[in-house]
Amino acid sequence: MTNVSNPVLAVRGLSKSFGGVHAVADVNFFLDAGELLALIGPNGAGKTTCFNMLNGQLPPDAGSVKLQGRELVGMTPRQVWRLGVGRTFQITATFASMTVRENVQMALISHHKRIRALWRRTGDHYADEALALLDRVGMAEQAERACGVLAYGDLKRVELAVALANEPQLLLMDEPTAGMAPQERIDLMALTAGIVRERSISVLFTEHDMDVVFAHSDRVMVLNRGELVAEGSPAAVRADPLVQEIYLGAGSTFGSDEQPAATTTADAAAGGTHA
Amino acid sequence: MGFYFAQFLTGLASAASLFLVASGLSIIFGVTRIVNFAHGSFYMLGAYLAYTLVDAWQAGPFGFWGAVIIAAVAVGFIGAAIEFLLLRRIYHAPEMFQLVATFGVVLVIQDLTLMIWGAEDLVGPRAPGLDGAVEIFGELVPEYDLALIVLGPAVLGGLWLLFNRTRWGTLVRAATQDREMVGALGVNQSWLFTGVFFLGSLLAGLGGALQVPREAVSLLMDLNIIAEAFVVVVIGGMGSIPGAFLAAVLLGEMNAFGILIFPQITLVMMFLVMAVVLVVRPWGLLGKAEAAARPPSGAAEPPLRVAGGMMRWLAMGGLAVLLLLPFLTDEFTLVLLIDIMVFALFAASLHFIMGAGGMVSFGHAAYFGLGAYGAALLIKFLSMPMELTLILAPVIAGIGALAFGWFCVRLSGVYLAMLSMAFAQIAWSVVFQWYEVTGGDDGLLGIWPSEWASDKTVFYYLTIAVCGGGIWALRRILFAPFGYTLRAGRDSALRVDAIGIDLRRHQWFSFALAGMFAGIAGTIYVFSKGSVFPDEMSIPRSVDGLIMVLLGGVQTVAGPVVGAASLTLLEDFISRLDYWRMMLGAVVIAIVVAAPQGIAGAFLQLIPARWTGREETA
Ligand SMILES: Nc1ncnc2c1ncn2[C@@H]1O[C@H](COP(=O)(O)OP(=O)(O)O)[C@@H](O)[C@H]1O
Ligand SMILES: [Mg+2]
């Protein structure tokens, strides 16, 4: 475990079971300021459940989540958001009956506590800020299109712009590149990395594409069946035999005689994304 | 002691009929997901049919029970026929369309019943062989009540056997849990649905038929029972038959004892219990929490667009015509136009929470009525001038909506629709029963505008200013962050929460705001008529609002105005004819089946996008 004196996020003993199944079991980690931390693991490992507990969507059975020393457990998602935690979802959640620009404007309007304004048109609120954010994620040309008709990859970009609207210090991105073509994934993650570096935002993200993970994360954690099984620099994690087993299965050329139990996870190995 | 026990038995006896009706409603909802407004009409039909048959076969006890059973079976076939002819076409329509379509059936059956049996209340004979009374603990208890007390649990047991011991029942239970799965099993789903409708309607008919010896058969039975049956189903848990039984007994006893303690507010108590249950256990006492809300059907609504040039000119032109009309027409036309504007504002206020918020209120007339009664009472008891009541009465309506809305926004979909209707019934029953203050059925008369506005033409201009202004303000709010936040919550509650918005609270404020605007409409209405009656808060008035929104099209901002004008003109035209309810019902059904996007919606699709400022969606 990295020794961080003043982490942005400190997670201790986080656990959640669904009817006896330990979706997340005693997870501990820190996230440093400006750090890009990847959380990887096969489908069903508990990544989304973990995210849902971090932003208050799901109450943990046990554990603590501290944002700069402040306990988040027990808060609602909207309270967590007000503290500067942006979230993107594995399955995008946008306002389909609004334009791309209006989606971002809604986040800005909420950030500035103007949701109950009765008179001035929504379109006239924070339009420039919204366009600037959209420009930053490469969506400015599509600002006036309805979110209901966008391609999936574009929706992911809109979500990123929305998540940036309240000047967050922490972004939680659940599979930000799911459903994209390989080149598009690399581009989006490069874009994200650029944005968060220039604003020194910390990021916790999950990702299936190992190329993306190894290219853009500062540190990688591996979750398997709810438990953190490895953690370290991308290179170290890549070299970890246990991780290779989880990801590549027992037939891997690296050999795996020390960890015979790992064969059972081979069928659940990574690759696909949730529908 | 004996008296209380007798009272307890009376409660149980009245629970029996209620249970029969509610269990039928619950079974139908469980499988088809349709909240069948016409269920009360089936109950009423059962009573009328049984009355006629009992009358014809009065000889001997077999005649009575035979009549009851045949009446119930006949109602079962009527229900199945309606399912087959109408509801089958709208299973995939949004809930609101289904509710409104079944209300169309209510209207048709009401007039058919009037046609066949006349407007007089009919008093049926006692049940032969059970027309005496038994002494229990020194109190006389009717034998027929005892028979009903036995019958309730017997039907419950029979239904349990049917659902747990027969193949058909197992299929129905499976369908209640997962409709798609039954389709995958290769079961003929449509016949299963028809069968369920048959059973549910039969139970309603049986409930009605059994009431013949206990109460007069009347044309009010349908709406009276449906509100109660909704309450029972919601308290017991949608789709749960034991829950319906438990809730029916609870309500039966509450009525039996409540009448001793608070005779004035038995109706109110019933709805209060429902409100408490819904807040504490939203899925009812014995119901199961819904796994997931039904996903919104159909494609996403296109983004709102500021009206394009052509539309603006149209609106300006319309306003100019309205302003010039007093010089061109007679007073009758002005009265009609005032009605149209009042209802346009009423419909626009409903459209605000329904279209933008996705909250279908089935009791919006409560706030229209609160505005109307608020104004009337302020004038009667405080002799307030009209100008002041125009401000205060809508505030009263808004406060009412704030109180009721707090409960309503905790629910969604059909639960919200039913709870809002329950609250409207509370308001209605208070107004109806509180004779000393509200005049009850006689209403409040002599509520006229101030001297300066008493001329029809002046009042007409006042209406344009207030109602037109109200519609314009609602439109502004719809385009402002307040309205957008409401839309956002409808589109994705998850995202709204994740950008720091307290959706429930915003929906609550929106509900209150819509109630206040409905109250403005009600206030103008009472001054235009000079009187107000409980009808202004009744279910048909609430449904009028829904029909207007539906006629105009839910997804169009101009819809409510078009819808209000169409329905008011239509009602004005056909209400001079006999059996106009039937025609209205037929029109409503036809619209739901044929033009679900409404008149304004259909019109908008015909004209070029650049005129309206709409973007063509890909
Ligand atoms: N709401 C839930 N109810 C029951 N089980 C759940 C629920 N959410 C997740 N799970 C289970 O928890 C485990 C972890 O799921 P998830 O967090 O979605 O994994 P990941 O995001 O890593 O693919 C899975 O076995 C999944 O089936
Ligand atoms: Mg996941």
Side-chain angles (χ1 to χ4, degrees):
Chain A
M1 189 133 307
T2 39
N3 191 10
V4 181
S5 51
N6 193 14
V8 169
L9 191 70
V11 175
R12 293 213 152 275
L14 201 61
S15 303
K16 182 80 190 178
S17 311
F18 295 108
V21 178
H22 295 286
V24 173
D26 192 26
V27 163
N28 299 280
F29 66 90
F30 295 93
L31 178 55
D32 209 356
E35 192 182 19
L36 262 97
L37 176 59
L39 180 64
I40 65 171
N43 260 338
K47 304 182 295 294
T48 299
T49 306
C50 214
F51 271 53
N52 286 344
M53 289 190 284
L54 296 183
N55 86 320
Q57 215 156 289
L58 203 63
D61 294 341
S64 131
V65 178
K66 289 205 163 125
L67 182 77
Q68 293 185 321
R70 193 158 175 178
E71 183 59 61
L72 298 186
V73 170
M75 288 192 183
T76 60
R78 58 172 189 279
Q79 288 168 329
V80 173
W81 181 83
R82 291 257 172 236
L83 296 176
V85 180
R87 165 106 199 238
T88 68
F89 294 96
Q90 181 171 351
I91 298 161
T92 55
T94 56
F95 309 130
S97 77
M98 296 183 194
T99 64
V100 168
R101 177 162 62 93
E102 286 164 351
N103 266 268
V104 181
Q105 281 174 299
M106 283 314 300
L108 287 164
I109 286 168
S110 173
H111 178 48
H112 294 281
K113 303 208 163 105
R114 301 283 299 151
I115 59 166
R116 274 177 230 132
L118 292 173
W119 209 246
R120 234 175 81 213
R121 286 205 184 94
T122 305
D124 298 341
H125 285 81
Y126 314 107
D128 296 340
E129 288 95 321
L131 281 176
L133 282 169
L134 286 172
D135 192 41
R136 191 67 190 85
V137 301
M139 284 294 293
E141 285 93 81
Q142 307 203 56
E144 303 308 320
R145 292 188 71 201
C147 266
V149 301
L150 285 192
Y152 197 68
D154 290 339
L155 281 177
K156 290 272 181 189
R157 288 168 187 268
V158 175
E159 271 209 322
L160 177 57
V162 167
L164 290 171
N166 69 330
E167 292 155 23
Q169 48 180 324
L170 170 64
L171 275 185
L172 302 173
M173 305 181 76
D174 197 359
E175 309 214 3
T177 69
M180 291 185 174
Q183 187 53 47
E184 214 184 349
R185 289 167 183 251
I186 306 241
D187 293 348
L188 182 75
M189 218 47 221
L191 175 73
T192 307
I195 293 173
V196 300
R197 292 245 149 79
E198 83 197 14
R199 303 177 187 208
S200 61
I201 300 172
S202 313
V203 179
L204 178 67
F205 72 107
T206 68
E207 181 54 63
H208 269 115
D209 188 328
M210 288 308 124
D211 292 339
V212 172
V213 171
F214 295 129
H216 291 293
S217 56
D218 299 321
R219 199 153 54 96
V220 181
M221 296 187 297
V222 185
L223 196 65
N224 191 32
R225 299 175 171 200
E227 290 181 47
L228 276 188
V229 292
E231 186 264 334
S233 70
V237 167
R238 200 206 289 258
D240 188 323
L242 175 59
V243 175
Q244 296 192 345
E245 274 177 25
I246 292 170
Y247 270 87
L248 304 171
S252 132
T253 50
F254 293 92
S256 57
D257 26 6
E258 307 133 282
Q259 307 281 341
T263 45
T264 48
T265 56
D267 56 344
T273 56
H274 286 206
Chain B
M1 169 60 209
F3 172 72
Y4 291 112
F5 190 69
Q7 204 63 18
F8 174 72
L9 293 180
T10 308
L12 280 186
S14 53
S17 256
L18 196 52
F19 162 64
L20 290 176
V21 180
S23 63
L25 190 65
S26 202
I27 293 168
I28 290 176
F29 175 81
V31 176
T32 67
R33 298 281 134 175
I34 283 197
V35 176
N36 183 22
F37 232 113
H39 205 68
S41 308
F42 296 157
Y43 166 84
M44 179 173 79
L45 275 181
Y48 272 101
L49 282 172
Y51 170 87
T52 301
L53 294 176
V54 168
D55 208 37
W57 303 341
Q58 230 163 15
F62 178 77
F64 174 82
W65 292 105
V68 165
I69 288 166
I70 294 203
V73 172
V75 173
F77 278 112
I78 294 172
I82 289 173
E83 192 277 341
F84 186 77
L85 294 172
L86 168 66
L87 299 177
R88 215 167 248 217
R89 294 165 206 281
I90 55 171
Y91 280 133
H92 295 288
E95 283 152 356
M96 182 215 34
F97 287 61
Q98 299 170 344
L99 279 162
V100 169
T102 60
F103 193 79
V105 175
V106 170
L107 292 174
V108 171
I109 292 183
Q110 221 165 48
D111 264 359
L112 281 175
T113 313
L114 175 66
M115 226 185 247
I116 298 171
W117 282 282
E120 291 287 308
D121 288 7
L122 305 174
V123 180
R126 301 278 186 84
L130 292 172
D131 45 5
V134 192
E135 203 179 294
I136 300 176
F137 295 130
E139 292 283 332
L140 287 178
V141 177
E143 286 169 347
Y144 188 72
D145 277 12
L146 294 177
L148 287 183
I149 291 172
V150 177
L151 202 81
V155 171
L156 177 65
L159 288 174
W160 189 87
L161 286 177
L162 179 66
F163 287 122
N164 291 284
R165 291 283 180 271
T166 67
R167 188 180 126 75
W168 187 80
T170 311
L171 282 175
V172 169
R173 275 194 306 139
T176 306
Q177 260 131 45
D178 186 349
R179 273 205 275 179
E180 277 65 39
M181 194 192 76
V182 176
L185 286 176
V187 175
N188 188 332
Q189 210 174 329
S190 37
W191 283 109
L192 190 69
F193 279 27
T194 311
V196 161
F197 247 91
F198 175 79
L199 176 65
S201 313
L202 184 148
L203 288 168
L206 184 61
L210 288 172
Q211 279 306 87
V212 171
R214 296 186 91 222
E215 65 170 305
V217 180
S218 81
L219 290 167
L220 294 177
M221 287 176 91
D222 54 353
L223 290 187
N224 282 346
I225 195 81
I226 193 67
E228 262 182 85
F230 278 180
V231 172
V232 169
V233 169
V234 168
I235 291 181
M238 300 278 261
S240 163
I241 296 168
F245 186 77
L246 185 68
V249 170
L250 192 74
L251 284 198
E253 293 306 337
M254 228 175 61
N255 275 333
F257 288 98
I259 218 148
L260 304 174
I261 311 166
F262 312 109
Q264 299 295 324
I265 57 160
T266 48
L267 270 171
V268 177
M269 263 172 29
M270 170 169 105
F271 291 111
L272 280 182
V273 170
M274 165 168 156
V276 170
V277 168
L278 276 178
V279 170
V280 180
R281 272 180 77 88
W283 51 92
L285 293 178
L286 299 185
K288 285 199 203 77
E290 289 259 308
R294 188 159 103 160
S297 37
E301 196 178 302
L304 284 180
R305 295 285 163 189
V306 179
M310 194 62 168
M311 272 309 188
R312 264 170 198 244
W313 283 113
L314 263 179
M316 299 280 223
L319 185 63
V321 171
L322 278 182
L323 289 172
L324 287 175
L325 270 177
F327 303 103
L328 306 172
T329 56
D330 55 4
E331 202 162 283
F332 279 119
T333 316
L334 290 191
V335 169
L336 188 62
L337 285 168
I338 289 173
D339 274 3
I340 289 180
M341 288 187 278
V342 164
F343 289 121
L345 177 58
F346 175 56
S349 71
L350 176 60
H351 175 261
F352 183 74
I353 48 172
M354 208 164 113
M359 296 185 280
V360 179
S361 164
F362 248 74
H364 205 54
Y367 315 109
F368 184 83
L370 274 178
Y373 270 96
L377 292 173
L378 289 174
I379 293 225
K380 276 265 151 177
F381 289 94
L382 301 177
S383 315
M384 222 172 246
M386 177 188 81
E387 297 75 23
L388 203 54
T389 59
L390 273 179
I391 295 166
L392 284 185
V395 170
I396 292 174
I399 291 172
L402 204 60
F404 292 163
W406 189 86
F407 296 94
C408 289
V409 298
R410 259 138 247 275
L411 306 172
S412 62
V414 290
Y415 288 87
L416 190 152
M418 287 198 203
L419 186 63
S420 59
M421 192 192 80
F423 280 127
Q425 284 296 96
I426 292 184
W428 178 84
S429 48
V430 167
V431 163
F432 194 80
Q433 291 182 341
W434 202 5
Y435 192 86
E436 304 79 48
V437 175
T438 61
D441 213 6
D442 300 334
L444 292 168
L445 308 175
I447 319 295
W448 295 110
S450 297
E451 192 61 42
W452 63 268
S454 58
D455 175 67
K456 261 288 165 278
T457 309
V458 177
F459 193 79
Y460 172 79
Y461 284 120
L462 178 68
T463 307
I464 293 184
V466 174
C467 292
I471 292 169
W472 185 58
L474 272 173
R475 201 183 145 84
R476 285 297 307 213
I477 297 171
L478 212 53
F479 278 88
F482 193 99
Y484 263 69
T485 304
L486 194 58
R487 280 163 67 87
R490 178 202 62 191
D491 282 3
S492 172
L494 183 66
R495 173 49 73 194
V496 156
D497 202 23
I499 58 169
I501 293 169
D502 187 343
L503 178 60
R504 192 176 272 179
R505 194 183 166 98
H506 195 77
Q507 287 178 328
W508 182 35
F509 292 158
S510 307
F511 197 95
L513 191 81
M516 196 189 78
F517 277 95
I520 297 177
T523 310
I524 290 287
Y525 182 82
V526 71
F527 285 115
S528 79
K529 300 289 168 197
S531 58
V532 59
F533 300 96
D535 279 359
E536 300 318 328
M537 291 192 176
S538 62
I539 294 175
R541 171 67 77 224
S542 288
V543 175
D544 269 356
L546 288 167
I547 296 175
M548 288 171 192
V549 173
L550 188 69
L551 267 174
V554 189
Q555 296 200 349
T556 29
V557 181
V561 178
V562 177
S566 318
L567 186 67
T568 311
L569 289 173
L570 181 72
E571 280 188 346
D572 179 67
F573 174 66
I574 61 176
S575 61
R576 295 174 215 153
L577 313 170
D578 290 336
Y579 306 118
W580 62 276
R581 273 188 206 88
M582 187 151 64
M583 285 175 242
L584 182 61
V587 169
V588 167
I589 293 170
I591 287 170
V592 171
V593 173
Q597 74 277 59
I599 297 175
F603 177 72
L604 277 181
Q605 290 191 338
L606 293 179
I607 59 176
R610 71 194 139 78
W611 286 13
T612 61
R614 265 179 179 239
E615 182 198 40
E616 280 127 314
T617 42

